[in-house]
Amino acid sequence: MNRTLTVAAAQMGPLQKSDGRDVAVARMVRLLEQAHHRGAEVVVFPELALTTFFPRWYHEDLDEADQWYESALPSPATAPLFAAIRRLRLTVYLGYAEIAHEPDEHGVLRKRRFNTSVVIGPDGEIVLKYRKIHLPGHVEYAPNRRVQHLEKRYFEVGNLGFPVVRAPAGRLDGVNMGMLICNDRRWPESWRELGMQQVELVMLGYNTPSLNMENRGFEAHHLRVFHSELSVQAGCYQNACFAVAVAKAGSEDGHELQGHSIIVNPQGEVMARTTRWVDELAVADCDLDMCRLGRETIFNFAAHRRPEAYTHLTAHAGSVAPAVWSPK
Amino acid sequence: MNRTLTVAAAQMGPLQKSDGRDVAVARMVRLLEQAHHRGAEVVVFPELALTTFFPRWYHEDLDEADQWYESALPSPATAPLFAAIRRLRLTVYLGYAEIAHEPDEHGVLRKRRFNTSVVIGPDGEIVLKYRKIHLPGHVEYAPNRRVQHLEKRYFEVGNLGFPVVRAPAGRLDGVNMGMLICNDRRWPESWRELGMQQVELVMLGYNTPSLNMENRGFEAHHLRVFHSELSVQAGCYQNACFAVAVAKAGSEDGHELQGHSIIVNPQGEVMARTTRWVDELAVADCDLDMCRLGRETIFNFAAHRRPEAYTHLTAHAGSVAPAVWSPK
C-alpha cells in the first residue's frame, strides 16, 4: 500500500498584541482552505498560534495574563477553526497557551498553565495533547535583557511526557504522530523519546526571535536559522522520521520572529521551505515508508543502542566536571 | 587567559591489505611533522589508523585475524610514532584494533578484542582510552551484501563508557577531551554523554564507505557525506563543543572510503575541511572559550534538561510501538 501523506506547514505572519482571537482564527481558516486546495491532509500551525508571543511581556500577577490562555477547546472564539477542520476533513496541529484546572503533583486542584499543542482529527476531536517540556527563558524580570523571555514564568513544565499515537490521517489508516514545541527541537532527547516510539511524523511549531536577545558575543545572528534547521534535520535523520517545523514569523509589535518553516524527510533533507515572513504555506508529499530504511539498518535501535553505557543521560539534569588527569 | 588551541585533522589516504605497520607509521610521522609545522598542538588520526579497514574481510576463526590488532602500545612497529609525538610535544588521538588480555564480565581472564582509541600526551603517555560502543554491522557472513561489515564479529562492545578527561594540551593547562569512534558520531547519546562531562574537544576517527553497501533503495549516495557532517555539526552545537572528525579515505583494495574530514566549532560551523582522498591535513584555531555561550544559555543543562521526562532513553535499547488511537 502506498503510504504517501501530503502535509502542509502553515506558517503564520505576526500577530500584534492588539489582535483578537478572531484575527488569528480567520487567517488560520484561510490557510486551512489553501492547504486543502493544494491537497494537504495534515496541516501544522505554529506554537501559541492564537495570540502574539506574550511571554515577551512581563506581568507581576500571573492572573493578569489570563487573556492569552485558552480554558477550553473548542471555545466560541475557536469554533470556526474546528468547523473548517471538520468541513475539510483535515488533521491539524495547533499550539496554544492552556489553562487547566487539575490536580498538581500533590493532588491539590489548581489553576495550571502550560504551553500546549494538540492534534485535532477530521471530526474535530482531540487525538493527542502535548505540553512543552523544554521551556526556555527565565522566571523573573531580567533587567539585562532588551526583550524578556518569560516562558518559565508563564508555564509549568509539561506533565504528559512525549506521547506518540497511531491514528488515521488523510488517506492513511494509521500514522505514528508525535509533537514537539519550539525549544524542544534543539534537544536530541526530545526527538529520541519520539523515535523510541516509532514516530513517523513529528509536528512542531515555534516562535523564535530572529536576533539573540542576550547581547552576548560569539553567536552570529545569521546562524539562528541554521541552528533551527540543523536541529530538525539531525532529529529526522537520527530518528528516521519526517518533520513539519512551522514558524510564527515577522515583526510582532517591533519584535522580529524568524520564519523559514521547513518540511524534512528521514534522510534529513529539506523538502520544502517558506521564505517570507507572512502567512505562507509549504507543502510536501511524504512517503512514510521512507522511515523504514533508517529503522531497519543504521538506526535499528534494538541492534545498536547501548543504554548500559548512557550513564549520564537520565541520572541527572546538569553536567559534571570531568576527571582531572595526573601523570602516574 | 586566551584558551586558543590549534588542532589538526590528519586524514589518511587508503592503506592496502598488503601494507605493513611500517607504511602506516611512516605516513603518520610525516603528517605529525607537517601538522607541527603548521602550528598544531593536537593531531587527530582516523579509526583503525594502522591498517586497512579489515572488518570488510571475513575470517571464520577470529584468531586468524590477530595480525590486524595491537597487543601493546607502543610496540616495536609503533615506536617511531611515539618518538615523533615526544619530539614534537604533541597531543595525539590514535585509533587502532586492540587485543587485551583481561577479565570478562564474569571475571574470567580472556583474550578480548576492541575497536579502541587513545589520547597520547606529549611525553608519549596514554592520557585516555576509549573503546567503541556503537559497533555497526553484523556478526556472521552476510551473503546478501557486496561488502561485509563485520565489526560486531571482530570487536566486543566497549566497556570503558564515554570518558572525558581534563588534561594539558599544547599551551593550555587543561582541556576537557573526549573521544568517539566512527558510527558513534551518528548517535546523539554519544555526544550527550560527553557533553554531560563538559567536553570541550571531541576527537573522532572514522572509516566510512562512500557507498551504501546494503543495496537498498531510498538512500542516495550523495547524502553520505551530508549525514556525517550533519551528525558532527549537530553534536557540536547541541553540546557546545569543538570536534575534529577525521576520515581514512580513498580506495582500499577497491573499496572506497569517503573523506571530507572536518573541524567544527560549538556553533556547528565547519571551520576546516579536507577535500581529497589522500593523506591531507586540515588545521584550525579553536578558541575553547566559545564553548561557554551554549553552556551558559540555551544549553544550560541544569536549567533546562528534564530527565524525568526521558522515560525511554535508558529504559530499553529498542523502540516500542505507540499507543493506537480509538474514538471515544
Side-chain angles (χ1 to χ4, degrees):
Chain A
M1 197 190 82
N2 183 327
R3 295 193 67 233
T4 297
L5 190 68
T6 304
V7 305
Q11 176 176 291
M12 296 178 68
L15 287 167
Q16 307 309 327
K17 204 172 176 182
S18 58
D19 287 337
R21 299 289 193 283
D22 57 329
V23 172
V25 167
R27 284 165 53 186
M28 294 168 87
V29 169
R30 276 199 296 280
L31 282 164
L32 289 181
E33 289 168 347
Q34 291 166 7
H36 177 71
H37 285 139
R38 292 178 61 180
E41 299 157 293
V42 172
V43 181
V44 178
F45 286 118
E47 174 193 35
L48 302 176
L50 297 168
T51 67
T52 195
F53 184 72
F54 67 89
R56 69 170 75 90
W57 307 112
Y58 177 76
H59 287 284
E60 189 173 342
D61 179 355
L62 277 190
D63 290 340
E64 286 176 12
D66 279 0
Q67 61 180 306
W68 304 114
Y69 294 77
E70 314 301 314
S71 296
L73 270 189
S75 58
T78 54
L81 183 64
F82 281 76
I85 289 169
R86 286 192 302 268
R87 176 164 50 86
L88 303 171
R89 307 296 301 161
L90 295 169
T91 294
V92 171
Y93 167 106
L94 171 67
Y96 65 102
E98 178 188 17
I99 283 182
H101 296 272
E102 62 176 44
D104 65 15
E105 63 276 26
H106 307 294
V108 179
L109 195 68
R110 283 203 300 116
K111 180 173 167 183
R112 305 183 65 177
R113 296 169 176 83
F114 298 99
N115 188 340
T116 297
S117 61
V118 287
V119 174
I120 306 165
D123 293 318
E125 74 283 23
I126 305 295
V127 171
L128 191 66
K129 180 185 278 194
Y130 168 68
R131 289 166 170 170
K132 184 173 181 177
I133 286 174
H134 295 100
L135 297 169
H138 44 100
V139 177
E140 299 301 336
Y141 186 85
N144 62 317
R145 291 182 63 105
R146 281 186 293 167
V147 182
Q148 301 299 300
H149 191 169
L150 293 156
E151 284 196 58
K152 278 185 155 63
R153 180 177 193 82
Y154 286 119
F155 305 114
E156 293 183 53
V157 172
N159 59 353
L160 302 176
F162 291 96
V164 175
V165 73
R166 184 172 186 82
R171 290 158 281 188
L172 302 185
D173 289 340
V175 175
N176 298 357
M177 296 182 281
M179 293 182 276
L180 299 176
I181 301 178
C182 196
N183 182 49
D184 284 322
R185 74 192 185 283
R186 304 183 195 273
W187 296 83
E189 291 89 344
S190 312
W191 293 91
R192 188 62 100 218
E193 283 293 314
L194 300 180
M196 288 292 284
Q197 297 169 80
Q198 303 173 6
V199 73
E200 295 173 313
L201 180 65
V202 174
M203 297 176 263
L204 80 95
Y206 54 95
N207 284 264
T208 300
S210 63
L211 297 175
N212 175 5
M213 288 301 166
E214 295 223 29
N215 297 320
R216 292 183 52 161
F218 304 129
E219 193 195 33
H221 299 312
H222 74 275
L223 293 176
R224 291 178 67 78
V225 168
F226 165 66
H227 288 159
S228 176
E229 297 196 355
L230 176 64
S231 299
V232 175
Q233 292 177 274
C236 286
Y237 168 59
Q238 293 172 332
N239 293 281
C241 62
F242 288 87
V244 187
V246 183
K248 181 132 61 63
S251 178
E252 292 193 338
D253 292 310
H255 304 287
E256 271 184 10
L257 297 172
Q258 74 182 33
H260 292 80
S261 306
I262 50 175
I263 302 173
V264 176
N265 76 12
Q267 299 290 346
E269 293 178 286
V270 175
M271 305 171 72
R273 180 189 276 119
T274 63
T275 59
R276 292 172 297 159
W277 285 6
V278 297
D279 291 5
E280 181 178 350
L281 287 178
V283 178
D285 291 328
C286 301
D287 175 359
L288 300 184
D289 280 338
M290 280 182 70
C291 302
R292 290 177 52 200
L293 180 69
R295 259 154 230 225
E296 294 175 3
T297 60
I298 200 161
F299 295 115
N300 177 334
F301 292 164
H304 301 309
R305 290 183 81 248
R306 294 290 162 193
E308 69 277 13
Y310 308 154
T311 56
H312 294 280
L313 292 190
T314 55
H316 41 104
S319 66
V320 295
V324 176
W325 182 78
S326 59
K328 296 263 162 41
Chain B
M1 197 191 79
N2 183 326
R3 293 193 68 233
T4 297
L5 190 68
T6 304
V7 305
Q11 176 176 290
M12 295 178 68
L15 287 167
Q16 307 310 326
K17 205 173 176 182
S18 58
D19 287 336
R21 299 288 193 283
D22 56 329
V23 171
V25 168
R27 284 165 53 186
M28 294 168 86
V29 169
R30 278 199 294 278
L31 282 164
L32 289 181
E33 288 168 346
Q34 290 167 7
H36 176 72
H37 285 138
R38 292 178 62 180
E41 299 157 292
V42 172
V43 181
V44 178
F45 286 117
E47 174 194 36
L48 301 176
L50 297 168
T51 67
T52 194
F53 185 72
F54 67 88
R56 70 170 73 91
W57 307 112
Y58 178 76
H59 287 283
E60 190 173 341
D61 180 355
L62 277 190
D63 290 340
E64 285 176 11
D66 279 0
Q67 60 179 305
W68 304 115
Y69 295 77
E70 314 301 314
S71 297
L73 270 188
S75 58
T78 54
L81 182 65
F82 281 75
I85 290 170
R86 286 192 303 267
R87 177 164 49 88
L88 303 172
R89 306 297 301 160
L90 295 168
T91 294
V92 172
Y93 167 106
L94 171 67
Y96 65 103
E98 178 188 17
I99 283 182
H101 295 273
E102 62 176 45
D104 65 15
E105 64 276 26
H106 306 294
V108 179
L109 195 68
R110 281 203 301 115
K111 180 173 166 184
R112 304 183 66 177
R113 295 169 176 83
F114 299 100
N115 188 340
T116 298
S117 60
V118 286
V119 174
I120 306 166
D123 292 318
E125 73 282 23
I126 304 294
V127 170
L128 192 65
K129 181 185 277 194
Y130 168 67
R131 289 167 170 169
K132 185 174 181 177
I133 286 175
H134 295 100
L135 296 170
H138 44 100
V139 176
E140 299 302 336
Y141 186 85
N144 62 317
R145 291 182 64 106
R146 279 186 294 165
V147 182
Q148 301 299 300
H149 190 169
L150 293 157
E151 284 196 57
K152 279 185 155 64
R153 180 177 192 81
Y154 287 119
F155 305 115
E156 293 184 53
V157 172
N159 59 353
L160 301 176
F162 290 97
V164 175
V165 73
R166 184 172 186 80
R171 288 159 281 189
L172 303 184
D173 288 341
V175 175
N176 297 356
M177 295 182 281
M179 293 182 277
L180 298 175
I181 301 177
C182 195
N183 181 48
D184 285 322
R185 74 191 184 285
R186 304 184 195 273
W187 297 84
E189 292 89 343
S190 313
W191 292 91
R192 188 61 101 221
E193 283 291 314
L194 300 180
M196 289 292 284
Q197 297 169 80
Q198 303 173 6
V199 73
E200 295 173 314
L201 180 65
V202 174
M203 297 176 262
L204 80 93
Y206 54 96
N207 284 265
T208 300
S210 63
L211 298 175
N212 176 4
M213 289 301 166
E214 296 223 29
N215 297 319
R216 292 183 51 161
F218 303 130
E219 192 195 33
H221 299 310
H222 74 274
L223 294 175
R224 292 178 65 79
V225 168
F226 166 67
H227 288 159
S228 176
E229 296 196 355
L230 176 64
S231 299
V232 175
Q233 291 178 275
C236 285
Y237 168 59
Q238 294 171 333
N239 294 281
C241 62
F242 288 86
V244 187
V246 184
K248 181 132 60 63
S251 178
E252 291 193 338
D253 293 310
H255 304 288
E256 270 184 12
L257 298 172
Q258 73 182 33
H260 291 80
S261 305
I262 51 176
I263 302 173
V264 176
N265 77 13
Q267 299 289 346
E269 294 177 286
V270 175
M271 305 170 73
R273 181 188 277 119
T274 62
T275 60
R276 291 172 297 159
W277 285 6
V278 297
D279 291 5
E280 181 179 349
L281 287 178
V283 178
D285 292 327
C286 301
D287 174 0
L288 299 185
D289 280 338
M290 281 182 70
C291 302
R292 290 177 52 198
L293 179 69
R295 259 155 229 223
E296 294 175 4
T297 60
I298 200 162
F299 295 116
N300 177 335
F301 292 164
H304 302 309
R305 289 182 82 247
R306 294 290 162 192
E308 69 277 13
Y310 309 154
T311 55
H312 294 279
L313 293 191
T314 54
H316 40 105
S319 65
V320 295
V324 175
W325 182 79
S326 59
K328 296 261 164 41

